[in-house]
Amino acid sequence: MYGEATRSVVLAGVGGQGTITAANLLANALVAHGYDVKTSEVHGMAQRGGSVISMVRFGESVASPLVPLGEAEALIATELLETLRNLEYLVPGGKVIGSRTRVDPLPVLQGAVEYPADAEQRITELAPDSIIVDAAGIAAECGDARAANTVLLGILSPLLPVPEDEWLAVIDKLVPKKALEANRQAFLAGRELGGE
Amino acid sequence: MAEKRLMTGNEAVALGAYHAGVTFASAYPGTPSTEILESFSKLEGVYAEWAPNEKVALEAAIGACLGGVRSLAAMKHVGLNVAADPWFTAPYIGVSGGLVLVDADDPEMHSSQNEQDNRYYAKAAKVPMLEPADSQEAYDLIREAYEMSERFDTIVMFRMTTRVCHSRGLVEAREPGMHVPVPYEKDEVKRVMIPGHARLRHPVMVDRLAEMEEFANEFPYQRREMGEGDAVVVTSGVAYQYAREAFPGVSILKLAMTNPLPRKLISEFCEQFKQVYVVEELEPYLEESVAALGLWPRGKESIPRTGELNVDNVRDAFPELAKGNPSRGHGAHVEGLPARPPILCAGCPHRGIMYSLARQKAIIAGDIGCYTLSVLPPLSAHDCQVCMGASITMGHGIEKALEIASGESEEEGFSSHRVVSVLGDSTFFHSGVTGLMEMAYNRGRFTVVILDNRTTAMTGFQDHPGTGTTLQKEPTITVDIEMLARSLGIENVRVVDPYDLEECLAALQEEMNRDAPSVVISRRACVLRDKTLERIPYEVIGEECNECGLCMRIACPALVKRGDEIKILADTCTGCSVCAQVCKREAIMKSRSES
Ligand code: SF4
Ligand code: SF4
């Protein structure tokens, strides 16, 4: 039946953090493995530091490019508040792969509201199957802090049927030369954390 | 079999147009349409350009089509308002090479000021319209659009929406076609729309409508999906994808050509069912016509008329159809989280000047660009904004109204210091120039601030007539804003550096108090593009800072308050120095550790 076999991953973060690029890597890896894939992404105003979200869906024949609530098997998030905000996309019991990064939104900068200080704790309570790491720190050790998203993709990767060499081939193809080695390392470091 | 490639709808349209033999394309950037021209321009042997605005883009495309090549104009939904003048007469004069307008609507207003439904433009202009539902259809249907354009001798509307433009899907390209340019032939009765000629052409359009409807009834991309049950869903565009997923097994009539509507097809297919549903985004465009056929559809009484559709709200609208795919619950919905609106970048050159402006007692008529974000507190530096270029013209009206209301004549210089119009460089070229002329000609005396950051930042840094480079990054002329303003008759034109608050404040005060119109150009490259900056971060000297919070009023994302302490995030700070200038205690200094 239509849609039945469709699987979904949601990637959330703050405009400018590179979620579109990460979603594109993931989508291409899934295409290389033979899936039908659809993604959706946010351009324009929200990219100026607003909440952004990218979605990747794959299966035999994908209909909607948007993930229905409760259908993402994983939420990849580059910021703690955005992780909390998007938990509802997860299937009950779904996996959170998050970065321990805090970016204060405007109302917090102004002091109008407080940043939820217990964000990480709340995430692990609400989504027990979660792994939250210092993605930027790990990426920096691999040579480029901006490869934080690739660390998170690495953690996700053992959950998907795409083998390591196909992932690396897609990274080779899509990541600019300058950042390639750091991204390869970042991916592998993440993949190890992810349990493979 | 050809290799399938993952492409956005925008990329697919560009490739499909290319494979249809299109060699001319013109556009003004606007989310969600921008990447159509960007990807088209990279293809071999084509001409592509950024026009100063959408009207210009469409007219240039009409010209190219008369010149004999297949041509394309692309714009966002509100861009078609700007281009509406040529839009309504283009179908009168017909085509030589095929001509398609690619329109990108933005339901939910991800990056727009309204969510108008441009399908009505196709209907109002008697222009055939195609609506793709994903990237593959964007590729296939744009090729059909050119065939239709030449077959029916008319411009065609290709109507997309954000989730088609900015979704990626697999595209299988077909063998590219070729279009041989049509030799130019003079035909003034058909192409010069004086009333006598236009009266001959309008009936041709009406007759054509009937022919096109016949065609729409037979058009192979109108898809009938037979399912189970006694209900049928009529839908088009991306809404089809939501319906297909929300209502598994239900019969669907998925329309690709939605003007003129294939009434015979709709009636014949729908009459087999007990209940007809219409699932569409925004206005009840299809629903009205389906209702007019006497089919008593269900639609907008349950489906939202504002915002985007998705599987969830489509399913919730008609749960009786969703039995095959009920909602199964979801992860936690966390209430009360701080919102994260977009914000000016750290070091954005707009910050200094908008901060300076916000401190004047002025009505600030704003415009469309990154700087509109300064409307949010704490800057709160916008009073009104409606569409591209309206800052100057609304400012003009406000000034005149204040004079009328106060009963003072314009000679007495009552209100000249109260109104300031603010707009960006790209917006100024788009539609600010005529406003400046209005102000100069009709003796306005307010101040226009042009935020010249040398790019079209909001849509992703496109070139424009003031950047000195074309879409292909080739050198070209640079329009000189100072000279342009002077040539319109404005004598007081000056340039300030928005990183220098004292200069900004002094210039604004002087110009706003002047009993004459003035232009202040706030010039500095967008910080995301500026290669000349040193980027040495600033830091807060703890002993000097008394946590007065003054610096927080400029809303820089690099400045954070953690507990009582104010800190600068060294990774985010670009070293623009604006916060240091705001601080009265000299507690913010250029960081020494970095140098
Ligand atoms: S992109 Fe450029 S113009 Fe826009 S907010 Fe950032 S610095 Fe300012
Ligand atoms: S110098 Fe101050 S205002 Fe400029 S980017 Fe750094 S923290 Fe922000």
Side-chain angles (χ1 to χ4, degrees):
Chain A
M1 189 110 302
Y2 281 138
E4 198 90 271
T6 297
R7 298 171 64 180
S8 310
V9 175
V10 167
L11 301 95
V14 177
Q17 280 186 329
T19 28
I20 294 182
T21 316
N24 201 27
L25 276 177
L26 170 59
N28 276 282
L30 293 162
V31 168
H33 199 63
Y35 285 111
D36 182 33
V37 175
K38 276 188 183 161
T39 74
S40 86
E41 53 202 46
V42 176
H43 293 245
M45 199 172 233
Q47 279 188 295
R48 300 282 164 262
S51 300
V52 293
I53 178 163
S54 288
M55 298 173 166
V56 177
R57 309 194 76 204
F58 60 104
E60 225 180 278
S61 165
V62 181
S64 163
L66 296 176
V67 177
L69 293 183
E71 290 200 16
E73 57 191 89
L75 168 65
I76 295 191
T78 48
E79 203 272 347
L80 290 169
L81 178 55
E82 297 313 309
T83 316
L84 271 178
R85 199 190 306 285
N86 291 294
L87 286 176
E88 56 183 334
Y89 281 106
L90 279 179
V91 71
K95 191 172 188 76
V96 170
I97 300 168
S99 181
R100 191 173 292 122
T101 302
R102 166 176 169 174
V103 180
D104 290 5
L106 185 57
V108 172
L109 288 174
Q110 270 177 263
V113 286
E114 296 260 323
Y115 191 99
D118 57 347
E120 184 169 344
Q121 195 192 332
R122 280 168 80 184
I123 295 163
T124 44
E125 275 168 25
L126 293 168
D129 187 8
S130 55
I131 165 164
I132 296 181
V133 299
D134 173 18
I138 298 171
E141 278 170 31
C142 296
D144 189 348
R146 281 167 303 179
N149 287 320
T150 316
V151 174
L152 302 180
L153 282 180
I155 299 176
L156 170 77
S157 66
L159 294 180
L160 303 175
V162 182
E164 185 171 308
D165 55 326
E166 282 180 23
W167 272 105
L168 291 174
V170 166
I171 291 174
D172 287 349
K173 201 169 116 194
L174 295 181
V175 176
K177 262 217 177 67
K178 265 200 328 219
L180 183 56
E181 200 38 47
N183 273 277
R184 283 182 75 108
Q185 294 310 323
F187 177 79
L188 292 172
R191 192 164 168 92
E192 212 176 297
L193 286 170
E196 214 163 282
Chain B
M1 197 181 80
E3 194 203 352
K4 288 191 177 185
R5 267 171 56 203
L6 205 51
M7 299 177 103
T8 63
N10 283 348
E11 291 165 345
V13 164
L15 186 69
Y18 182 60
H19 286 175
V22 175
T23 47
F24 178 99
S26 184
Y28 179 78
T31 314
S33 70
T34 312
E35 302 81 10
I36 297 170
L37 258 270
E38 288 181 329
S39 35
F40 184 78
S41 71
K42 296 189 183 111
L43 298 165
E44 190 72 24
V46 300
Y47 175 84
E49 61 171 32
W50 289 132
N53 70 34
E54 295 85 355
K55 176 181 189 292
V56 174
L58 178 55
E59 289 159 353
I62 294 170
C65 130
L66 295 184
V69 303
R70 284 190 165 180
S71 64
L72 175 150
M75 56 199 66
K76 68 183 296 177
H77 59 332
V78 287
L80 184 48
N81 301 334
V82 179
D85 200 354
W87 168 252
F88 280 102
T89 308
Y92 281 67
I93 70 172
V95 303
S96 183
L99 172 61
V100 176
L101 181 133
V102 181
D103 160 86
D105 287 12
D106 189 18
E108 193 78 37
M109 299 170 272
H110 294 281
S111 207
S112 303
Q113 67 270 38
N114 79 24
E115 54 181 350
Q116 64 189 49
D117 187 334
N118 276 10
R119 293 179 296 175
Y120 290 102
Y121 264 118
K123 190 168 180 169
K126 303 188 186 73
V127 167
M129 168 166 59
L130 295 176
E131 289 188 77
D134 60 18
S135 297
Q136 180 69 57
E137 279 199 353
Y139 174 85
D140 291 331
L141 289 175
I142 192 81
R143 294 187 66 165
E144 295 295 326
Y146 282 93
E147 297 300 324
M148 282 170 61
S149 171
E150 286 168 14
R151 173 175 181 154
F152 295 108
D153 190 21
T154 176
I155 185 171
V156 171
M157 178 187 276
F158 198 74
R159 192 254 188 177
M160 303 173 78
T161 54
T162 302
R163 298 298 177 186
V164 178
C165 295
H166 288 161
S167 290
R168 286 174 207 271
L170 288 173
V171 175
E172 186 177 343
R174 286 174 283 128
E175 198 56 43
M178 266 273 289
H179 180 257
V180 183
V182 183
Y184 186 81
E185 261 179 69
K186 193 173 156 96
D187 187 352
E188 68 272 26
V189 178
K190 190 177 166 214
R191 292 181 186 162
V192 180
M193 286 303 101
I194 52 171
H197 294 171
R199 274 182 217 118
L200 299 174
R201 293 297 300 164
H202 198 186
V204 173
M205 287 165 61
V206 174
D207 293 346
R208 187 165 72 200
L209 214 46
E211 278 171 50
M212 293 191 301
E213 185 172 336
E214 278 297 302
F215 177 88
N217 283 319
E218 305 298 327
F219 188 51
Y221 287 89
Q222 318 277 42
R223 213 159 55 229
R224 308 169 187 81
E225 295 181 1
M226 259 324 230
E228 299 136 26
D230 49 14
V232 61
V233 173
V234 180
T235 183
S236 69
V238 74
Y240 159 74
Q241 309 291 2
Y242 308 138
R244 174 185 141 183
E245 188 163 329
F247 310 139
V250 172
S251 300
I252 291 183
L253 177 60
K254 187 248 177 221
L255 299 174
M257 182 168 177
T258 48
N259 193 55
L261 273 172
R263 284 177 294 186
K264 181 157 155 265
L265 168 67
I266 296 172
S267 294
E268 285 181 2
F269 190 68
C270 292
E271 270 160 9
Q272 316 170 54
F273 300 91
K274 268 208 199 112
Q275 182 60 53
V276 179
Y277 294 82
V278 178
V279 175
E280 61 189 322
E281 255 170 351
L282 300 177
E283 302 301 319
Y285 171 86
L286 297 173
E287 186 180 338
E288 283 164 358
S289 298
V290 171
L293 293 171
L295 292 165
W296 299 97
R298 295 193 54 201
K300 287 294 163 186
E301 78 276 15
S302 306
I303 292 269
R305 191 168 173 167
T306 62
E308 274 187 310
L309 298 186
N310 53 47
V311 175
D312 296 296
N313 60 18
V314 167
R315 176 166 43 202
D316 291 350
F318 304 124
E320 66 273 26
L321 300 181
K323 296 202 181 88
N325 184 14
S327 174
R328 298 172 204 86
H330 54 76
H333 173 83
V334 186
E335 296 277 355
L337 294 176
R340 188 185 301 276
I343 176 173
L344 296 175
C345 301
C348 174
H350 300 329
R351 180 170 285 108
I353 186 89
M354 294 313 286
Y355 176 74
S356 308
L357 253 178
R359 295 175 61 199
Q360 314 301 316
K361 282 206 172 51
I363 297 172
I364 304 174
D367 224 300
I368 295 193
C370 286
Y371 45 88
T372 320
L373 297 173
S374 69
V375 66
L376 299 175
L379 282 173
S380 307
H382 262 54
D383 280 70
C384 53
Q385 174 248 45
V386 61
C387 67
M388 293 281 289
S391 53
I392 308 181
T393 32
M394 280 195 301
H396 180 73
I398 293 171
E399 182 184 57
K400 295 291 176 194
L402 294 178
E403 284 168 3
I404 296 165
S406 69
E408 312 219 6
S409 79
E410 53 183 38
E411 272 72 46
E412 286 166 60
F414 160 74
S415 65
S416 57
H417 63 291
R418 295 205 43 205
V419 180
V420 178
S421 296
V422 185
L423 76 175
D425 45 349
S426 190
T427 306
F428 176 68
F429 294 124
H430 178 283
S431 46
V433 183
T434 40
L436 203 57
M437 210 179 299
E438 154 89 343
M439 171 218 208
Y441 173 58
N442 286 314
R443 295 185 293 204
R445 285 159 303 154
F446 56 104
T447 301
V448 173
V449 177
I450 300 177
L451 308 168
D452 183 10
N453 65 354
R454 323 301 297 160
T455 189
T456 316
M458 176 63 92
T459 46
F461 319 109
Q462 288 74 28
D463 281 288
H464 60 59
T467 61
T469 41
T470 65
L471 167 55
Q472 291 79 3
K473 296 285 168 208
E474 282 157 13
T476 183
I477 59 99
T478 308
V479 177
D480 184 326
I481 300 178
E482 292 96 303
M483 265 169 56
L484 181 57
R486 285 211 172 86
S487 74
L488 294 176
I490 293 161
E491 283 165 17
N492 309 292
V493 182
R494 63 204 278 177
V495 179
V496 297
D497 177 1
Y499 280 1
D500 185 338
L501 287 189
E502 220 170 288
E503 187 187 13
C504 288
L505 276 171
L508 286 174
Q509 271 160 9
E510 191 179 329
E511 297 307 335
M512 289 167 70
N513 283 319
R514 202 190 284 283
D515 194 19
S518 58
V519 169
V520 175
I521 301 166
S522 167
R523 178 168 292 150
R524 198 170 251 285
C526 165
V527 73
L528 298 189
R529 308 299 278 175
D530 192 346
K531 299 224 162 63
T532 65
L533 278 185
E534 270 190 316
R535 295 184 194 260
I536 299 172
Y538 276 60
E539 61 189 1
V540 181
I541 315 294
E543 311 90 73
E544 303 295 334
C545 171
N546 67 350
E547 289 97 42
C548 70
L550 203 56
C551 59
M552 300 304 286
R553 291 200 207 157
I554 62 173
C556 173
L559 267 166
V560 295
K561 197 167 183 179
R562 294 280 155 85
D564 275 342
E565 203 191 352
I566 293 178
K567 284 196 351 189
I568 290 179
L569 306 173
D571 287 351
T572 313
C573 173
T574 65
C576 76
S577 84
V578 169
C579 58
Q581 296 174 54
V582 169
C583 176
K584 291 216 161 41
R585 295 177 59 89
E586 294 186 17
I588 303 181
M589 310 283 270
K590 200 180 250 186
S591 141
R592 276 151 301 178
S593 47
E594 290 285 320
S595 45

